[in-house]
Amino acid sequence: MENKNLQFKTNLNCGGCVSKVQADLDNASGVCEWNVDINNSDKILTVKSEGISEDEVIAIIRSKGFKAEPLNA
């Protein structure tokens, strides 16, 4: 399985927002590690993937009431 970094523009504005998605991302199959740059105006979520797809990450974020869209390089 190919490891790659996935990046998303989100509306995770603060530590409280990040904490709401933390357990789901921590426990998601195929996620090696992840972080959110809340200081960036686009609130960039970076996921080090070990098999999880962009759509699966977006579904996790949306299930918690937040927005995420792929950041195209």
Side-chain angles (χ1 to χ4, degrees):
M1 187 69 58
E2 177 185 354
N3 292 0
K4 56 186 173 183
N5 285 340
L6 305 175
Q7 290 194 306
F8 305 88
K9 179 179 176 179
T10 73
N11 63 342
L12 298 166
N13 293 315
C14 64
C17 299
V18 172
S19 70
K20 290 179 181 164
V21 300
Q22 181 172 1
D24 292 77
L25 287 172
D26 285 348
N27 296 318
S29 177
V31 173
C32 179
E33 62 185 66
W34 63 275
N35 71 332
V36 179
D37 183 357
I38 58 175
N39 295 316
N40 184 300
S41 62
D42 286 335
K43 312 303 181 203
I44 303 300
L45 165 64
T46 302
V47 175
K48 188 171 182 183
S49 167
E50 289 184 334
I52 195 167
S53 71
E54 284 186 345
D55 290 340
E56 290 170 311
V57 174
I58 291 169
I60 290 169
I61 302 303
R62 288 185 176 161
S63 75
K64 295 300 180 182
F66 297 100
K67 296 177 186 173
E69 61 185 61
L71 193 65
N72 295 325

